[in-house]
């Protein structure tokens, strides 16, 4: 038996706050940005430019091979990164490389 009109779930509507976090939008990504932590100068530009808020600033020290010590680390949240490449384009030292998610 078909449901009554008022029993049909709402479409295209947010029914609870924060529910979009359950949609892991990174699943349709073709290219994955990878940060070279030794090249990164912690300028925060990728964090500021990412349209998805998928660049995370983490309180974790990193010592580069050349002995430069940084108090923070930037990482990509692959659950939400869509692979648009803006971060790689804007990084002033080209510390972000886009690599293909799946080989054919
Ligand atoms: S590729 Fe796009 S979505 Fe992913 S971290 Fe970079 S700017 Fe954000
Ligand atoms: S834009 Fe490049 S150098 Fe700046 S924090 Fe991001 S990865 Fe590091």
């Amino acid at each position: 038996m078909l449901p009554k009109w008022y029993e049909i779930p709402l479409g295209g509507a947010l029914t609870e706050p924060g529910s979009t976090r359950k949609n892991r939008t990174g699943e349709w990504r073709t290219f994955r940005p990878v940060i070279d932590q030794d090249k990164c100068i912690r300028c925060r530009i990728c964090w500021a430019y990412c349209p998805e808020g998928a660049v995370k600033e983490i309180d974790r020290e990193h010592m580069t091979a050349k002995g430069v010590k940084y108090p923070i680390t930037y990482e990509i949240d692959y659950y939400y990164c869509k692979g648009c490449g803006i971060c790689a384009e804007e990084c002033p030292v080209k510390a972000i490389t886009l690599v293909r998610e799946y080989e054919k």
Side-chain angles (χ1 to χ4, degrees), residues 17-100:
S19 59
T20 54
R21 289 189 64 80
K22 293 176 189 165
N23 297 327
R24 293 186 171 176
T25 49
E27 287 180 359
W28 61 69
R29 184 179 54 239
T30 307
F31 289 94
R32 160 188 296 248
V34 177
I35 300 177
D36 182 333
Q37 296 297 341
D38 274 16
K39 263 192 185 178
C40 171
I41 56 172
R42 275 60 179 175
C43 69
R44 217 184 208 187
I45 286 177
C46 55
W47 177 89
Y49 273 74
C50 175
E52 299 301 321
V55 180
K56 299 187 289 185
E57 186 177 286
I58 297 170
D59 284 331
R60 191 176 66 227
E61 287 184 358
H62 178 77
M63 179 81 80
T64 70
K66 289 183 177 170
V68 180
K69 189 176 175 183
Y70 293 107
I72 55 171
T73 302
Y74 288 92
E75 281 187 358
I76 311 291
D77 186 339
Y78 293 118
Y79 284 147
Y80 300 104
C81 164
K82 290 178 181 168
C84 67
I86 292 174
C87 54
E89 186 66 30
E90 297 299 331
C91 177
V93 293
K94 299 297 169 211
I96 304 177
T97 309
L98 289 170
V99 298
R100 188 174 276 279

